Amino acid sequence: MDLFTSAYSLVRTQAPTSPVTCLRPHAAMRASRYFRRNFPGEILYAVKSNPRFEILDAVHSAGIDHFDVASIAEIRLVADRFPGALLSYMHSIKSREAIREAYFSYGVRHFALDSHDELEKISAATDGARDLTLLIRLAVPNIHAEMDLSAKFGIAPLDAAPLLVQARAVAAKVGICFHVGSQCMNPAAFGVALERVGDVIRASGVMLDIVDVGGGFPSLYPDMTPPPLDTYMSEIATALGRIPIGEGCEIWAEPGRALVAEAGSTLVRVDHRRGDHLYINDGTYGSLFDAGVPGFVFPVRAIRLQGRPSRRLLPFSFYGPTCDGLDYMKGPFLLPADMGEGDYIEVGQTGAYGSTMRTQFNGFYSDETAILSDPPLLSLYRGRNRAPQLGGVHHYDKSGTDQ
Ligand SMILES: Cc1ncc(COP(=O)(O)O)c(C=O)c1O
């Protein structure tokens, strides 16, 4: 794969006509190292957020050898790539075939569940195995998150206690896991969730082997500056101190977004301008799903090879290339006022839930990828949360100077 010093140098050398997925593995390594150093426990990488080998390798080389996998395809992928890695099947609803293959063909022993039906399913599909680690997924409030997962997954605390007792009877180890929702903007959400874990422990009388605080750690976007990650770490450490767990209880986290969002960006080209709408060659059916209905505002930077972009910035919206009106990204994306056909835009923070969401709808699909060695457009790990200004990102001029 080609390596470039920046998106500008990629445009200058290749003038790509299709969208390019740009990867910054060094950013994933930096984030992974931060989590390993500062989280009070073990880190599992949530593979769904970005399963590309370059990213998996970066996370793995930073010392993360335990993966949160949510499908049999993810299990096959990670097991082939890292034969010695530990895999935890954290999707709480699985098919019997997938459980069976995970257990018998890939040695997976850790399974999440949030119902008695799933417990029966796991037991039956593993032929009554007695070497399982079962993690009960608890429903917790997702009110501080951009992406709410609480309606779809999790068991209410009152019902969790009897399920935990039942799991304890058949498993080698038991734990509780939860997810505060993706892009959680308030560390207190972890404290509230851990209080619920404490309630379940007290109600069930079961000593836990594992408490898994899930994902949900935020990344940085032009309109969303979360509190420093350190405050999430200290909130978790403090809340853990208040719940009845023993010394030997393992603490896990399964971050996705916070590890890899800034390790990816998408290079697009403008095909047309209509007022303050730019028609670009990637969209919500491609790598920019989160800019559509979920409404994420990604950082952007204009790249123009011929001439200098205007210094005046305007708020733009984007339309993607497909024929669907839903292929719309409201933004606002602050870009030079004279943006037009042929200009390029580097859309940042698409490393998590970006290229992995691409479809082939309408025939628009690009597999072009490049590695970039420069810093990401925004970073949580540089100068610890220096607050970004909306649109206060750089534009390249003709000489490639970052302005
Ligand atoms: C079970 C589980 N763990 C971890 C994650 C990763 O979450 P995030 O990317 O918000 O850190 C998800 C995301 O959906 C999830 O469902």
Side-chain angles (χ1 to χ4, degrees):
M1 187 174 310
D2 293 334
L3 172 71
F4 298 92
T5 52
S6 66
Y8 175 83
S9 89
L10 162 58
V11 170
R12 195 181 44 197
T13 342
Q14 303 204 325
T17 54
S18 303
V20 184
T21 296
C22 300
L23 300 173
R24 292 182 172 91
H26 62 88
M29 284 174 75
R30 176 166 62 176
S32 302
R33 281 196 222 104
Y34 169 85
F35 267 84
R36 287 201 65 225
R37 265 202 308 269
N38 294 286
F39 179 74
E42 180 161 338
I43 299 300
L44 291 67
Y45 171 51
V47 173
K48 63 183 81 70
S49 57
N50 193 327
R52 294 196 66 106
F53 285 153
E54 298 83 355
I55 296 296
L56 289 175
D57 290 351
V59 167
H60 189 249
S61 69
I64 295 178
D65 198 25
H66 190 170
F67 295 85
D68 152 21
V69 282
S71 68
I72 195 65
E74 287 183 1
I75 290 172
R76 292 181 195 135
L77 180 89
V78 180
D80 284 354
R81 191 76 181 169
F82 311 119
L86 194 54
L87 307 183
S88 291
Y89 203 162
M90 299 309 296
H91 197 308
S92 53
I93 296 162
K94 303 164 281 300
S95 74
R96 286 171 197 267
E97 295 81 1
I99 296 167
R100 198 168 177 80
E101 185 177 338
Y103 182 84
F104 288 105
S105 304
Y106 292 97
V108 175
R109 296 294 179 265
H110 302 124
F111 294 88
L113 62 140
D114 60 7
S115 68
H116 292 273
D117 287 350
E118 188 74 7
L119 179 57
E120 182 282 321
K121 210 196 277 177
I122 294 170
S123 239
T126 58
D127 296 343
R130 304 299 299 211
D131 59 352
L132 300 174
T133 295
L134 297 179
L135 293 120
I136 309 298
R137 173 133 173 202
L138 192 63
V140 298
N142 276 202
I143 50 172
H144 297 295
E146 281 300 297
M147 303 279 202
D148 190 335
L149 302 167
S150 62
K152 188 167 179 182
F153 300 113
I155 184 165
L158 271 183
D159 302 323
L163 182 59
L164 184 60
V165 170
Q166 228 187 328
R168 171 85 285 174
V170 297
K173 288 185 176 180
V174 290
I176 295 182
C177 58
F178 59 78
H179 200 300
V180 296
S182 204
Q183 184 65 15
C184 174
M185 294 294 288
N186 188 340
F190 285 90
V192 169
L194 283 165
E195 260 173 48
R196 287 205 174 176
V197 173
D199 293 343
V200 176
I201 298 172
R202 288 183 203 96
S204 65
V206 171
M207 279 304 282
L208 297 184
D209 299 294
I210 297 161
V211 172
D212 175 355
V213 304
F217 299 91
S219 187
L220 187 56
Y221 301 89
D223 63 338
M224 280 190 278
T225 303
L229 281 176
D230 289 359
T231 60
Y232 289 74
M233 302 303 157
S234 49
E235 172 79 23
I236 290 168
T238 307
L240 283 168
R242 292 202 201 101
I243 63 173
I245 48 173
E247 287 267 303
C249 180
E250 292 174 38
I251 310 300
W252 294 2
E254 310 158 21
R257 181 184 303 281
L259 290 191
V260 301
E262 52 186 74
S265 62
T266 306
L267 181 66
V268 301
R269 195 177 66 169
V270 178
D271 286 334
H272 180 65
R273 172 174 179 172
R274 186 174 296 171
D276 54 6
H277 290 110
L278 299 178
Y279 291 65
I280 59 176
N281 62 355
D282 201 4
T284 64
Y285 292 92
S287 300
L288 303 176
F289 176 86
D290 277 349
V293 174
F296 275 71
V297 179
F298 292 114
V300 287
R301 137 204 289 173
I303 300 172
R304 179 176 295 169
L305 290 176
Q306 305 292 326
R308 209 181 163 80
S310 165
R311 286 190 167 273
R312 194 163 66 88
L313 301 179
L314 280 184
F316 286 96
S317 296
F318 297 155
Y319 278 117
T322 71
C323 295
D324 190 345
L326 277 178
D327 199 355
Y328 171 64
M329 296 145 275
K330 184 163 182 277
F333 303 103
L334 279 194
L335 285 160
D338 60 352
M339 289 296 287
E341 188 194 347
D343 287 333
Y344 289 87
I345 303 167
E346 183 181 5
V347 183
Q349 308 298 83
T350 60
Y353 312 110
S355 57
T356 188
M357 311 287 266
R358 282 168 305 170
T359 72
Q360 307 227 3
F361 177 50
N362 231 177
F364 293 102
Y365 184 83
S366 168
D367 230 357
E368 283 188 41
T369 310
I371 304 279
L372 305 185
S373 60
D374 62 344
L377 276 76
L378 296 176
S379 179
L380 268 184
Y381 305 93
R382 191 193 325 144
R384 283 293 157 81
N385 273 19
R386 226 179 29 187
Q389 294 169 354
L390 185 63
V393 294
H394 308 284
H395 305 285
Y396 289 106
D397 73 4
K398 201 170 158 190
S399 65
T401 308
D402 196 2
Q403 306 244 300

